[in-house]
Amino acid sequence: METALKSGTNQSKESPVIVIEHLYKQFGDNIVLSDFSLSLRKEENLVVLGKSGSGKSVLVKCVVGLIRPDRGSIRILGKDLLGLEEDELNELRTKLGFLFQSNALYDSMTIRENLEFPLLKHQVKISEAEMEARVMEVLENVGLEHTIDMMPSELSGGMAKRIALARAMILRPDIIFYDEPTSGLDPVTSREIASLILEMKEKYHISSIIISHDMACVKITADRIVLLLEGKCYAQGTYAELEQSKDEKIRQFFK
Ligand SMILES: Nc1ncnc2c1ncn2[C@@H]1O[C@H](COP(=O)(O)OP(=O)(O)O)[C@@H](O)[C@H]1O
Ligand SMILES: [Mg+2]
């Protein structure tokens, strides 16, 4: 009995949280994804590396159900994404966190209201006191408790990114998607955000897909890198493995 239980546990730990197979997406004549496959393991920080316009954001939008791919399959947390009804998709979304490149904070809401928003939207049944505790917890995680009553316009770029990260965490997601989390930030702030991404993974055992071409951020965060090129997964490996590659298409990212 005990053995069976144990092996069951091990198996669930090993099965990937996202499996993407043979994904195709084109807009008119523009073929963006062409037989793209990838899996994300539990508690893994996976970086998708690729040049501007290579389809990184399209990929993430497919995976979170914002864009429908032309062909292929996407399994998230054991669910067949493309076969889900709207309410099932909404249920799944409560387990996913997003950090958009633009942060997507609501300008007319305070930081507290921005952080409460996902809880209210998904009608998470918790008491006022627990809501307050959750807001404080995510603010503490990013070191910005004092901004709770401020407006987004009062924040610096780095602070806004931290708040967006706090909001991505508020539903205690299993998976977070980070789209260019350090773009537009200075190198010091970028490293701070990258370190926070790593801390959140270690503290909450989150699995993440991180889109980036900021190699300092990639080096800090990546357990594994996949290189998206011409719509396909061109190469994958750790930072150290890819850095040593002699392939010019890989080398150009490490110069
Ligand atoms: N909604 C859309 N309609 C038409 N073309 C799109 C759309 N979204 C993205 N594209 C095109 O797909 C390609 C990949 O875009 P994107 O995924 O945003 O690149 P990046 O790797 O920089 O994130 C680009 O050529 C872009 O113009
Ligand atoms: Mg993009």
Side-chain angles (χ1 to χ4, degrees):
M1 182 70 181
E2 204 184 288
T3 333
L5 259 176
K6 263 193 190 149
S7 74
T9 316
N10 285 343
Q11 201 176 9
S12 75
K13 194 170 166 75
E14 280 164 21
S15 60
V17 290
I18 298 182
V19 181
I20 299 170
E21 287 182 306
H22 310 300
L23 209 62
Y24 288 81
K25 180 69 196 176
Q26 67 184 79
F27 298 101
D29 296 338
N30 183 10
I31 299 170
V32 180
L33 299 174
S34 173
D35 200 13
F36 183 87
S37 300
L38 160 162
S39 31
L40 175 67
R41 299 170 194 143
K42 188 156 176 10
E43 288 178 46
E44 180 180 40
N45 268 352
L46 179 68
V47 167
V48 176
L49 187 62
K51 281 191 272 190
S52 181
S54 62
K56 303 181 299 298
S57 293
V58 168
L59 171 68
V60 166
K61 285 177 187 164
C62 287
V63 177
V64 302
L66 292 173
I67 291 182
R68 197 165 179 91
D70 302 326
R71 267 189 290 155
S73 70
I74 302 172
R75 285 191 79 75
I76 305 188
L77 301 169
K79 297 245 165 34
D80 170 19
L81 181 82
L82 303 173
L84 295 182
E85 303 287 341
E86 194 60 33
D87 55 339
E88 295 170 310
L89 186 58
N90 282 332
E91 160 74 27
L92 178 64
R93 284 202 176 118
T94 65
K95 299 183 176 122
L96 312 177
F98 313 100
L99 186 68
F100 297 102
Q101 200 167 344
S102 61
N103 297 327
L105 298 175
Y106 297 105
D107 291 339
S108 60
M109 293 185 190
T110 64
I111 300 309
R112 178 199 296 275
E113 288 163 346
N114 267 282
L115 295 174
E116 286 173 350
F117 188 79
L119 295 168
L120 298 172
K121 182 179 165 206
H122 289 287
Q123 300 177 318
V124 177
K125 292 190 178 46
I126 53 175
S127 64
E128 287 277 315
E130 179 154 4
M131 178 119 82
E132 171 81 17
R134 283 252 201 140
V135 167
M136 289 317 293
E137 181 185 343
V138 294
L139 278 174
E140 268 168 39
N141 280 337
V142 300
L144 289 178
E145 298 97 309
H146 66 284
T147 65
I148 189 161
D149 295 316
M150 289 166 72
M151 302 302 287
S153 60
E154 297 175 81
L155 306 178
S156 68
M159 289 161 90
K161 192 59 80 182
R162 281 168 185 262
I163 295 298
L165 173 57
R167 191 178 58 180
M169 303 277 308
I170 196 104
L171 292 170
R172 299 187 174 154
D174 295 319
I175 305 171
I176 299 192
F177 299 88
Y178 298 95
D179 195 351
E180 308 268 8
T182 60
S183 79
L185 301 176
D186 64 76
V188 173
T189 310
S190 292
R191 276 198 296 279
E192 286 171 3
I193 297 294
S195 302
L196 263 180
I197 291 172
L198 193 59
E199 270 174 42
M200 290 307 100
K201 179 190 97 150
E202 284 164 2
K203 188 168 175 186
Y204 294 99
H205 310 290
I206 297 171
S207 318
S208 301
I209 291 186
I210 304 156
I211 287 179
S212 187
H213 54 240
D214 167 4
M215 296 312 283
C217 170
V218 173
K219 191 171 187 179
I220 292 170
T221 56
D223 295 315
R224 188 163 60 103
I225 301 169
V226 304
L227 176 55
L228 171 58
L229 187 77
E230 288 157 11
K232 292 185 175 59
C233 173
Y234 180 77
Q236 62 164 309
T238 62
Y239 187 96
E241 284 164 356
L242 293 189
E243 193 182 24
Q244 283 163 20
S245 170
K246 301 222 165 16
D247 183 331
E248 194 49 39
K249 286 177 174 162
I250 299 172
R251 287 204 56 73
Q252 58 180 328
F253 289 95
F254 292 85
K255 281 175 180 161

